[in-house]
């Protein structure tokens, strides 16, 4: 059974940094991609960043939401079967529950009911 285990959430002040991690169990990285979504209170879940890769490439192709571009960095460690989201220059607007996702291309095409999802971690940024 595919499982996604997230860690790294927490609380920081405005301008601080956090790193999230997501370990994939019984899932092989693919060109469909893996990534991160977030959902703030009272708002819809939105894409934050996606990375795609396969065994034939040492680097992934990355995509970022305009709101986080230049501040967040997604990366992967194939040996650990893990992806990361390094978040710097955090703002109060980044406060949300962050969800790791596998088969991100299916989520993008078919909606939030598709793909595999982590349990979510809370990120809180205080002014």
């Amino acid at each position: 059974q595919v499982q996604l285990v997230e860690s790294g959430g927490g609380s920081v002040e405005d301008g601080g940094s956090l790193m999230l991690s997501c370990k994939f169990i019984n899932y092989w990285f693919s060109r469909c991609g893996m990534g991160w979504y977030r959902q703030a209170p009272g708002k819809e879940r939105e894409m934050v960043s996606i990375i795609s890769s396969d065994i034939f490439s040492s680097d992934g192709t990355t995509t970022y939401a305009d709101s986080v571009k230049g501040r967040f960095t997604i990366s992967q460690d194939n040996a650990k079967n893990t992806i990361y989201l390094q978040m710097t220059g955090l703002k109060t607007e980044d406060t949300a529950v962050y969800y790791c996702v596998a088969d991100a291309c299916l989520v993008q095409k078919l909606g939030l009911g598709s793909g595999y999802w982590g349990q979510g971690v809370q990120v809180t940024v205080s002014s």
Side-chain angles (χ1 to χ4, degrees):
Q1 182 178 357
V2 175
Q3 293 182 328
L4 283 62
V5 182
E6 300 180 45
S7 62
S11 299
V12 297
E13 293 186 347
D14 185 36
S17 300
L18 285 172
M19 178 172 285
L20 308 182
S21 65
C22 178
K23 182 176 178 61
F24 296 83
I25 300 173
N26 295 323
Y27 183 85
W28 292 357
F29 290 176
S30 75
R31 297 169 70 180
C32 190
M34 300 72 63
W36 300 89
Y37 280 65
R38 69 185 181 187
Q39 188 166 17
K43 298 183 179 180
E44 296 183 350
R45 193 170 299 184
E46 64 177 353
M47 188 274 289
V48 177
S49 184
I50 294 172
I51 185 168
S52 62
S53 183
D54 60 41
I55 193 172
F56 305 108
S57 177
S58 60
D59 297 314
T61 300
T62 59
T63 302
Y64 297 93
D66 289 341
S67 59
V68 307
K69 189 175 182 180
R71 299 187 296 117
F72 292 9
T73 302
I74 190 170
S75 61
Q76 65 183 56
D77 186 328
N78 290 336
K80 297 181 179 180
N81 213 35
T82 301
I83 65 168
Y84 306 89
L85 186 68
Q86 183 174 332
M87 304 182 292
T88 62
L90 284 163
K91 306 174 181 179
T92 56
E93 65 197 58
D94 297 316
T95 296
V97 177
Y98 284 70
Y99 296 91
C100 181
V101 64
D103 284 348
C105 67
L106 296 181
V107 177
Q108 292 181 305
K109 289 182 176 293
L110 303 178
L112 299 175
S114 303
Y116 299 98
W117 295 86
Q119 80 278 13
V121 292
Q122 178 70 49
V123 172
T124 302
V125 184
S126 301
S127 62

